[in-house]
Structure formats: C-alpha cells, structure tokens
Amino acid sequence: MIELIRTNDAVAISFIESLLRDADIDYHIADRNMSIMEGSLGVLPRRVLVAEEQAEEARRLLADAGLLGTGGED
C-alpha cells in the first residue's frame, strides 16, 4: 500500500475516508489505534494508505478536494 497523506486532523481523515469510499477506492487508516492510545493529544499522525494501483486516482481525488499539494503528499 502507498501512503497518500499523514495528518493529525480527525476531520480531514473523516473527509478523506468519505471521498475514497464514494470513489470505490480501497484504503486503510494506519496508526488509528496508536493515536487513541496516546490520549488523542494529536502527537501521532494517522496515515491514509491506498493500494498501489489506485494511488494515482486517489491522489487526483484528494488534490481536487484541496487536500494534497502538487508534491503528491503533505
């Protein structure tokens, strides 16, 4: 799987999940449990991962939504 974005922003994660789900792009949110274990202080970012074959489509989708810069990852 390829990492698309890493963020501490729970609202952004929720929005990204919604976008990917609606576009039928398989994804995984890594480090969600670690984030919870550290007490939700926002120290440990969560990572959004997608299958390599869907990474280009997912990057385009997030870029169109203003969630990614031109470098591909923020």
Side-chain angles (χ1 to χ4, degrees), residues 10-73:
V11 174
I13 291 286
S14 179
F15 182 49
I16 291 166
E17 285 185 285
S18 176
L19 290 171
L20 295 174
R21 189 174 32 253
D22 289 350
D24 284 331
I25 295 175
D26 293 326
Y27 67 92
H28 175 73
I29 307 299
D31 305 322
R32 186 186 308 253
N33 292 334
M34 290 303 296
S35 240
I36 292 167
M37 288 177 62
E38 54 92 14
S40 298
L41 297 173
V43 176
L44 297 172
R46 282 164 265 175
R47 296 174 293 142
V48 179
L49 309 171
V50 296
E52 190 170 348
E53 59 272 6
Q54 293 182 303
E56 175 94 18
E57 180 185 0
R59 280 191 186 106
R60 212 172 21 252
L61 181 68
L62 296 188
D64 289 348
L67 296 167
L68 286 182
T70 57
E73 292 184 19

